Amino acid sequence: MVESTKFSGCILANLPAHESFVHGRRGSFRTKLLAWYREHARDLPWRKTHDAYRVWISEVMLQQTQVATVVPYFDRFLIAFPSIADLAAAPEDQVLRLWEGLGYYRRARQLHRAARLIAEVHNGEFPRNPDDVRRLPGIGRYTAGAILSIAFGAAEPILEANTVRLLARLLALRDDPTSGPSQKILWRAAADLLPRENIGAFNQALMELGSQVCVPREPRCPACPVAALCPTRKLGLQKVIPATPPKPPIEDVKEAAIVVHRRGRLLLRRRQATERWAGMWDFPRFAIGQPSLAAEGNMALSQQVRELTGLSIGPVEHLTTIRHGVTRFRITLDCYLATAAGRCSAPDGAEIAWTSPGELDEYAMSVTGRKLGGIVATRGLGKKVKG
Ligand code: SF4
């Protein structure tokens, strides 16, 4: 149950925290926030436009990703696909290649599917109806609210990591802000605070204040335009609010990748829909148990490559070990080198390609796949490298 904290002498007296804040200081909050935003908003490429397509691309790229990382990706993506029609007409490989390194590749595949839907169902125009927008692949409540408010000025609230933290502090909400009851309170506050005009700017200002001033560890309260309205600051609870939700445990994953080569060309396999990094190209790769398949010998590794690609391989040689963290997984990738020895029947749906090390750049690959490709391209196929 969410705490309706009452602090005597503060703005929360006599009312549940969220109601007191929203109804008591709404006008003052909006004025101060928007004035601050006019002066301090960062100059970002997607802020130069109200075009729904550009706002949409930026919002999807910014999910789980830092602004500084997104800027060059956003520019490159818009040069390659200047319109929804261009994105809809592009092959998935090209979309994934341009997304490579941003991570969370499902976002790119959903974006691509959504562009095709908009081209087919909405005549290539980004829809304005909230239900239509929320029906698009990869667009949830937050993304829909951001696009509709920023592009069309619609009265739609937003709530993402930065605004959750900011609003939790402004409401002195002590419970886990990701819990169902807290989310209800926060969404309601985000909706109740919306002004009648400048809704897109207001929503962006909330996010900007959360990301630039009301930061997680040491919020810059002396520089905060709404400090006088903030009960968390008044009570010195910045380190306690928002409460930290329990983190999912880190999972160790051990995998093997085999660089199979034949006459100077490398074998790639496209990852299937049910796999991590679906649609991207990779060296034949699979999970290995503890103790590793390597310890079980060449036969076990050969068997896995055959099952994935329909190819037999010669003896394997250990090449290197790559360690990489992705979301909650800590991956240890044992990499091997082997020559192709012959063909047998490929499994259903297997897509393979042979490419020279110099052409690897044309394929969308996972971070570890790209790293391994780089090692092979640099060191050559005949030489062993250190792990
Ligand atoms: Fe956040 Fe401090 Fe501003 Fe309160 S006063 S909203 S804690 S930055």
Side-chain angles (χ1 to χ4, degrees), residues 29 165-167 169-170 209-210 212-215 218-234 237-238 241:
F29 177 79
R165 183 172 57 254
L166 174 67
L167 291 178
R169 284 174 173 158
L170 288 167
L209 187 64
Q212 300 303 298
V213 177
C214 196
V215 293
E218 302 281 345
R220 297 168 44 224
C221 300
C224 178
V226 293
L229 308 175
C230 179
T232 296
R233 184 200 187 203
K234 191 164 183 171
L237 294 173
Q238 294 95 323
I241 299 176

